[in-house]
Amino acid sequence: MAHNQLKYRKNFGLLIAFVVLVTVLFVVAMLAARSMIANFIETEFNNRKVEIFDQSVQPFNEFFNDKIPEISYYQGYLDSVKAAAYVNDVIRKNAFVESVLFYDLAVTNSDSIESGIKYNHLLIYPKSVISFSLDAENRLVAQRKKSNETRAYVEDFNNMVLKFVGFLDRVNDSTRMSDNDIYKVFYTMSAGKVSYMNIPRISDLLAYKRMMSSADSVIVSYDQDMFLFLINPGKIKIKNVASNLYEKVEILPIVSGQVTDQQFYLQTELALPGALSDYKLQYTSSEGFINKEINRRFLPTSFGLSVVYLILMFIAYLIYRNITINSRLFQLQYDFINNLTHEFKTPVSVIKIAGNNIQSSEKLSVDEQRMYGKILDQEADKLNSLMNKLLSFAQIENKSIKPNKEEVVVEEFCAPIFEAVKLKYPDLNFSYHIDVQNNMIVDSTLLLSVFQNLIDNAYKYSEPQRKFLDIEVQQNKKNFVIKFKDQGIGINKKEFNSIFKKFYRVKNQFNQQGSIGLGLAFCKEIVDFMGGEIKVDSVVNQGTTFTLLLPLGPKKN
């Protein structure tokens, strides 16, 4: 039960549930976002076709509403030369106009028999019919047509004239022609054809009406112009202003005799108006083309969702790392307390035994007094050394003390340390080499602790048959370089960054008891405290080298 009480609760199950929940939400959000984008694109596919329709048909509308009415400016006085100039401008600017028939009409009350239409006393007939078109070399060609050559267009001529004379019956002095009257009377549209007659003045219309109703009128003749424009809808230029939605936009006959097995993912169409009414605009896109657009629009959304997901995963990782670090810190602190207790318990036990022996003994000899005195003194020194190390480490780490720097002669500083090593560890194969020109400016007490800790580690972490230590003290242009080389068990490179951390202990057979994980951390704090640097280089089962870099002091005299 005590073991369970001390165990650190990691709660990894809750963290895993959080990761799973966030991942599921991420996947659902990605699928939902892509589905919404796909539905939006499909809706846009059906809606934006009107925009392409308007842009593509606009040139035809401008021709119909703006260019054709220019004929009325001439009031029937167009001759073949002026008609050719007009047609040349129209046919070159509007590729969908394949050819134009120009009717030079006569409106008269003469009784002469002409190929035309006579209503009461009014006769309307073409004095000449001229066809205009572009030849293979893109030159305008004018050809005067005979009556038998215009039979295919007789119905267009008849429809226009019959509407005109029907309108004359309704004309009076107060007649004002509206736009609706103009489109109904002077325009005639059928599949592939637009007919237009110039609009006479009201006075001319009244004169035509008198000529039509009176047999005794003086014979007169008026000129009217009529144009028949032959339209090829297939030559209308399609302006695909939504090329990301429509893979193909075509002008096709409404009733097409072609049969195809090709299937499109999305398809829609719009019928063309007026003289283009036998044709339609057809919009088609394949599945691959639409998916490409979906992916293009989905990319920013997926990127945003992924960023949010990664942030949440990073938070989960931070929580996991925090749990792991806290668990490791808990274990280190637990080990620290156990080892520190062991470190204190041993000298305390020895002191207690010595004290009991002294107390229970009725009479102590001089040798016994000296022996117990020496034991008590040694164990007290151990306790004092351990307490001083803990206190110094805390003070240095908290920057509560300042280094007591003094000028130290290197040889004089090292000599007593090296002599003590030989006395303390007689089985240690110890050597050293000193080659410096400057004195060190250091806190000698703190530096002594570093030397003692590194020497003790070299002895402690070496096999009995490989207890070797070589200390080199040299200098370069900037630093004193002090190297501690042993032939011990070595340190794995993965642990180089961890061995200088508090409470960290390398897992090996030498660390089962008696280490609290402060030695190397204490050394690093001291060296950093004095403005230096400590490095480690090691090969497992071959040995370890610790290198101290300390700033140079003044040159020796």
Side-chain angles (χ1 to χ4, degrees):
M1 181 176 290
H3 176 72
N4 290 335
Q5 289 175 347
L6 291 172
K7 187 175 181 181
Y8 183 79
R9 296 183 63 186
K10 297 181 180 179
N11 290 325
F12 280 135
L14 186 60
L15 182 62
I16 292 172
F18 171 76
V19 171
V20 171
L21 177 62
V22 169
T23 302
V24 170
L25 290 176
F26 170 71
V27 173
V28 170
M30 292 284 275
L31 293 176
R34 198 177 193 283
S35 177
M36 288 177 62
I37 291 174
N39 291 336
F40 178 79
I41 287 177
E42 185 172 351
T43 302
E44 192 175 1
F45 181 91
N46 292 317
N47 291 341
R48 292 197 66 186
K49 60 184 179 181
V50 177
E51 186 178 346
I52 295 177
F53 177 88
D54 291 340
Q55 293 282 341
S56 300
V57 177
Q58 183 180 358
F60 176 80
N61 291 336
E62 291 176 352
F63 159 73
F64 184 84
N65 295 317
D66 301 331
K67 191 63 181 177
I68 291 180
E70 290 181 8
I71 297 169
S72 294
Y73 297 160
Y74 297 96
Q75 287 298 312
Y77 294 110
L78 273 173
D79 57 19
S80 59
V81 176
K82 291 180 180 179
Y86 169 80
V87 170
N88 184 61
D89 183 59
V90 168
I91 208 167
R92 293 187 184 279
K93 289 182 178 179
N94 302 281
F96 49 81
V97 179
E98 283 199 323
S99 61
V100 179
L101 266 67
F102 167 56
Y103 291 80
D104 186 9
L105 302 179
V107 181
T108 182
N109 55 356
S110 171
D111 291 332
S112 62
I113 299 176
E114 298 286 350
S115 179
I117 291 180
K118 189 169 184 179
Y119 186 77
N120 291 339
H121 303 287
L122 187 68
L123 173 65
I124 303 176
Y125 67 93
K127 294 186 290 184
S128 64
V129 179
I130 302 176
S131 171
F132 297 97
S133 61
L134 296 177
D135 64 10
E137 297 179 359
N138 203 34
R139 293 178 300 186
L140 184 67
V141 176
Q143 184 178 4
R144 192 174 295 273
K145 297 287 186 178
K146 296 179 181 179
S147 58
N148 61 343
E149 294 176 329
T150 60
R151 289 176 182 174
Y153 308 110
V154 168
E155 185 177 352
D156 301 289
F157 171 77
N158 292 341
N159 287 337
M160 178 63 74
V161 174
L162 289 175
K163 287 196 302 179
F164 179 65
V165 296
F167 176 70
L168 290 177
D169 278 338
R170 306 192 301 272
V171 173
N172 54 51
D173 293 335
S174 61
T175 297
R176 296 291 181 270
M177 286 187 291
S178 64
D179 290 340
N180 189 45
D181 292 331
I182 292 173
Y183 282 118
K184 284 184 176 180
V185 177
F186 299 97
Y187 281 94
T188 301
M189 283 183 289
S190 58
K193 300 175 185 177
V194 177
S195 301
Y196 179 80
M197 180 186 291
N198 73 279
I199 305 171
R201 292 182 291 266
I202 296 295
S203 58
D204 291 339
L205 292 174
L206 292 172
Y208 296 162
K209 184 173 183 179
R210 288 193 296 270
M211 291 164 58
M212 182 174 62
S213 58
S214 176
D216 300 329
S217 300
V218 178
I219 295 176
V220 293
S221 180
Y222 290 86
D223 289 326
Q224 285 287 120
D225 296 323
M226 174 182 161
F227 282 81
L228 175 61
F229 301 93
L230 302 180
I231 308 298
N232 183 358
K235 290 187 178 182
I236 290 178
K237 186 178 181 181
I238 298 172
K239 297 180 181 179
N240 189 356
V241 295
S243 57
N244 58 319
L245 293 174
Y246 305 105
E247 184 177 11
K248 185 187 295 184
V249 182
E250 300 174 285
I251 295 180
L252 299 175
I254 287 182
V255 179
S256 176
Q258 297 180 349
V259 179
T260 177
D261 294 330
Q262 187 176 6
Q263 296 295 323
F264 292 99
Y265 181 67
L266 290 178
Q267 182 172 328
T268 186
E269 59 186 37
L270 276 177
L272 293 172
L276 314 175
S277 56
D278 279 354
Y279 286 77
K280 64 184 177 181
L281 271 180
Q282 182 170 288
Y283 311 78
T284 54
S285 293
S286 65
E287 184 175 4
F289 182 83
I290 291 298
N291 283 336
K292 183 179 179 182
E293 176 63 14
I294 293 174
N295 293 335
R296 185 185 70 83
R297 299 193 186 187
F298 180 62
L299 184 61
T301 304
S302 63
F303 178 77
L305 291 174
S306 298
V307 168
V308 173
Y309 176 73
L310 290 176
I311 290 174
L312 293 176
M313 288 298 100
F314 181 68
I315 292 173
Y317 165 74
L318 292 179
I319 295 172
Y320 167 78
R321 189 181 70 168
N322 188 59
I323 293 174
T324 305
I325 291 174
N326 287 342
S327 174
R328 188 161 57 244
L329 181 60
F330 177 85
Q331 187 63 42
L332 289 173
Q333 290 174 337
Y334 180 73
D335 292 343
F336 169 72
I337 293 172
N338 283 341
N339 293 324
L340 186 63
T341 302
H342 176 78
E343 287 289 308
F344 275 105
K345 187 176 181 180
T346 301
V348 168
S349 298
V350 173
I351 291 173
K352 185 173 180 62
I353 292 171
N356 288 336
N357 288 341
I358 294 172
Q359 186 178 9
S360 61
S361 178
E362 294 181 358
K363 186 177 181 180
L364 294 175
S365 65
V366 175
D367 290 340
E368 288 177 328
Q369 289 178 358
R370 289 178 179 173
M371 180 188 70
Y372 285 125
K374 184 178 181 180
I375 291 173
L376 292 173
D377 185 62
Q378 288 177 343
E379 297 306 318
D381 285 342
K382 287 182 181 179
L383 288 173
N384 186 58
S385 175
L386 184 58
M387 293 299 298
N388 286 337
K389 180 181 287 187
L390 290 172
L391 181 60
S392 299
F393 187 88
Q395 290 176 332
I396 293 172
E397 188 177 36
N398 295 326
K399 304 293 188 296
S400 60
I401 62 172
K402 294 182 179 180
N404 183 23
K405 291 187 177 181
E406 57 183 346
E407 186 173 349
V408 175
V409 179
V410 177
E411 291 84 352
E412 294 178 2
F413 172 78
C414 293
I417 300 175
F418 296 163
E419 289 299 322
V421 170
K422 294 176 183 179
L423 294 174
K424 186 175 181 180
Y425 303 118
D427 58 335
L428 177 64
N429 186 0
F430 178 69
S431 61
Y432 65 90
H433 176 72
I434 300 174
D435 182 15
V436 296
Q437 294 79 41
N438 292 44
N439 293 333
M440 289 192 293
I441 304 295
V442 294
D443 187 318
S444 58
T445 302
L446 295 178
L447 185 59
L448 174 61
S449 298
V450 175
F451 268 68
Q452 289 175 341
N453 194 85
L454 293 178
I455 292 170
D456 290 344
N457 282 354
Y459 183 84
K460 178 180 178 181
Y461 296 106
S462 296
E463 300 286 352
Q465 68 276 13
R466 294 171 56 88
K467 292 191 179 295
F468 169 88
L469 176 61
D470 178 63
I471 299 177
E472 295 182 2
V473 184
Q474 300 174 344
Q475 72 175 73
N476 55 30
K477 292 181 179 181
K478 295 182 179 180
N479 300 299
F480 288 102
V481 182
I482 308 171
K483 295 183 179 181
F484 296 78
K485 299 179 182 178
D486 65 48
Q487 295 181 1
I489 61 174
I491 304 170
N492 194 305
K493 287 186 177 181
K494 295 179 180 179
E495 298 185 280
F496 281 4
N497 293 328
S498 301
I499 58 175
F500 295 110
K501 295 179 180 179
K502 287 188 298 183
F503 310 130
Y504 185 83
R505 297 187 305 155
V506 179
K507 302 297 182 182
N508 56 56
Q509 70 271 26
F510 297 94
N511 261 343
Q512 300 303 315
Q513 296 284 342
S515 174
I516 59 175
L518 282 178
L520 291 176
F522 186 52
C523 292
K524 179 171 175 55
E525 287 292 335
I526 290 175
V527 173
D528 291 344
F529 190 58
M530 294 190 294
E533 183 180 359
I534 185 170
K535 298 179 180 180
V536 62
D537 185 26
S538 183
V539 178
V540 176
N541 296 325
Q542 293 187 22
T544 303
T545 300
F546 285 95
T547 304
L548 304 182
L549 300 176
L550 299 173
L552 285 177
K555 240 181 183 182
K556 292 191 292 187
N557 295 327

